[in-house]
């Protein structure tokens, strides 16, 4: 596999920062990033409460 195909640059996202999805609707507030591991990230909405989280692929997220 050529190096270009193997290399994927992902944005560095810090826990506690706010992120949006690649297909984020305009009327949805950004998600709070909890943590990322192994290409997957846990995010939540502030209104969801502390223990409700959603796992999303890192490549689908960008800084808000």
């Amino acid at each position: 596999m050529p190096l270009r195909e193997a290399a994927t640059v992902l944005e560095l996202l810090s826990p506690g920062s706010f992120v949006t999805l690649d297909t984020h609707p305009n009327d949805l507030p950004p998600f709070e990033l909890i943590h990322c591991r192994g290409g997957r990230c846990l995010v939540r909405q502030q209104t969801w409460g502390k223990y409700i989280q959603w796992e999303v692929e890192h490549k689908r997220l960008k800084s808000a």
Side-chain angles (χ1 to χ4, degrees), residues 8-23:
T8 301
V9 177
L10 295 175
E11 183 177 3
L12 181 60
L13 302 172
S14 302
S17 63
F18 289 90
V19 296
T20 57
L21 298 169
D22 53 0
T23 57

Side-chain angles (χ1 to χ4, degrees), residues 5-7 12-13 23 27-29 31-32 36 38 43 53-55 60:
E5 291 178 23
L12 181 60
L13 302 172
T23 57
D27 60 344
L28 182 66
F31 292 94
E32 181 181 359
C36 293
V43 298
Q53 303 161 354
W54 182 30
E55 186 179 77
R60 292 192 58 206

